[in-house]
Amino acid sequence: MTTRVGVVTFPGSLDDRDAQRAVRLAGAEPVALWHRDKDLHQVDAVVLPGGFSYGDYLRCGAISRFSPVMDTIIEQAKLGMPVLGICNGFQVLCESHLLPGALTRNDSLHFVCRDQKLRIENAGTAWTRDYSAGQEIVVPLKNGEGRFVADEHVLDELEAEGRVIARYLDVNPNGSYRDIAGITNAAGNVVGLMPHPEHAVEPLTGPTTEGLGFFTSVLKQLVNA
Amino acid sequence: MARVVVDVMLKPEILDPQGQAVQRALPRLGFTGIADVRQGKRFELELEGPVDDAALARIREAAETFLANTVIEDFTVRVEEEAK
């Protein structure tokens, strides 16, 4: 049976169709999920896409976190379902307290859009197992509030437990603490990433196809589970 | 109607680039002698009923779970005006 990966559309999501295409190219069946829907339609994993959910009002991701679909996703994530939050999705995961820390305004105050070099630090999560630790990839990055911040002791804990999954190389585009581009929860099923792997899955439209590994990783995870 | 004000500010240890941008612009406009600027948010909540302890407790809960992200922000709650 084909693996079903849900992609949530919130009012203001932008990258939901790109995420669906990435899921399809990876070999799974993308399932569109609606923010008001409590039912996850038997998906095996969920992607929270980039964009400006609820217009980024209040704080990025703060209102989406209380949408009906998130109640179910938070519940399922705690039971081990793989969840990947990209950009705005990362913000939603932090607001949901599925991941620690917060994303704040870029230190430059400017919206940044660039092809970003990353180093995969942890290749053991549900979403990174098709990479190898230390592997360098290039994927697009575009954000205005992408600066990862957390208390010193939280940062130390993330480092000590290997929960920083990707770090910015060459340039830190937004002032993120310790060059952190992505993190995971303790169980390794929930991953938040500020850059956009779903925009680097086809040679025609991306700088590389090196983002596809995130989406193929979760298939392997689910087959082995 | 009673009004309750919730002020939300970034914690002191969190960099506030918006405040810094404002602070850098002030001397250019001739406003000197301002050492630091922090920018926050103010929510004005109009209550339907009386501002009693229960109502204030609910508002504190709303501030803590929704209006502020306590990972990066502090908040204060105060009653601005009593019902006429």
Side-chain angles (χ1 to χ4, degrees):
Chain A
M1 216 175 80
T2 323
T3 305
R4 293 162 61 83
V5 178
V7 178
V8 178
T9 300
F10 298 100
S13 291
L14 280 182
D15 301 324
D16 41 342
R17 302 305 291 258
D18 288 53
Q20 288 178 22
R21 191 166 64 241
V23 165
R24 193 178 315 115
L25 288 170
E29 180 189 346
V31 178
L33 300 175
W34 185 236
H35 67 115
R36 282 217 295 247
D37 206 347
K38 275 191 100 70
D39 182 26
L40 298 187
H41 303 281
Q42 289 93 47
V43 296
D44 305 292
V46 165
V47 176
L48 304 177
F52 300 87
S53 60
Y54 295 87
D56 273 355
Y57 296 133
L58 187 59
R59 295 178 307 277
C60 300
I63 297 178
S64 331
R65 173 253 177 279
F66 290 100
S67 62
V69 77
M70 282 308 298
D71 288 344
T72 316
I73 289 172
I74 290 167
E75 200 178 285
Q76 291 301 309
K78 287 177 178 166
L79 296 173
M81 183 182 71
V83 179
L84 172 66
I86 303 165
C87 197
N88 192 221
F90 188 6
Q91 293 160 342
V92 173
L93 290 175
C94 286
E95 284 285 343
S96 305
H97 306 301
L98 286 172
L99 294 175
L103 285 310
T104 63
R105 187 72 74 95
N106 294 350
D107 59 352
S108 65
L109 278 180
H110 293 290
F111 190 95
V112 176
C113 184
R114 65 193 311 276
D115 292 336
Q116 178 70 47
K117 194 193 266 191
L118 304 176
R119 186 173 56 234
I120 302 294
E121 302 279 25
N122 178 341
T125 77
W127 299 93
T128 54
R129 56 184 48 206
D130 266 356
Y131 297 101
S132 48
Q135 188 177 343
E136 295 180 8
I137 65 170
V138 174
V139 301
L141 171 137
K142 50 183 178 107
N143 64 65
E145 302 196 26
R147 180 171 195 256
F148 181 76
V149 302
D151 288 348
E152 279 300 304
H153 79 270
V154 172
L155 293 169
D156 288 341
E157 196 177 294
L158 288 172
E159 302 271 12
E161 294 173 6
R163 287 169 52 194
V164 175
I165 63 121
R167 236 183 275 266
Y168 299 119
L169 285 188
D170 300 341
V171 173
N172 181 332
N174 43 35
S176 282
Y177 287 2
R178 305 194 191 182
D179 301 330
I180 289 173
I183 58 172
T184 182
N185 64 345
N189 63 308
V190 179
V191 166
L193 185 71
M194 193 40 62
H196 289 265
E198 81 282 19
H199 296 329
V201 293
E202 286 170 301
L204 179 66
T205 53
T208 66
T209 56
E210 293 165 356
L212 195 60
F214 280 88
F215 302 92
T216 53
S217 289
V218 76
L219 295 189
K220 204 165 288 177
Q221 161 88 13
L222 291 164
V223 167
N224 292 341
Chain B
M1 291 264 260
R3 175 179 291 169
V4 178
V5 175
V6 179
D7 282 310
V8 176
M9 292 296 295
L10 277 177
K11 288 183 176 176
E13 66 269 26
I14 303 289
L15 174 75
D16 175 13
Q18 295 177 93
Q20 286 191 343
V22 172
Q23 196 226 326
R24 280 196 296 269
L26 283 167
R28 279 206 306 275
L29 302 172
F31 301 104
T32 54
I34 296 164
D36 193 25
V37 176
R38 309 276 295 170
Q39 183 174 328
K41 286 179 212 161
R42 171 187 166 112
F43 298 87
E44 297 184 351
L45 312 181
E46 304 287 346
L47 263 58
E48 284 172 346
V51 191
D52 50 19
D53 287 351
L56 279 175
R58 290 293 292 161
I59 288 172
R60 279 200 198 91
E61 193 188 344
E64 185 155 15
T65 54
F66 187 49
L67 300 180
N69 177 347
T70 54
V71 174
I72 50 169
E73 294 168 330
D74 295 322
F75 67 87
T76 58
V77 176
R78 67 174 196 278
V79 182
E80 190 169 70
E81 57 191 62
E82 282 300 333
K84 287 186 183 125

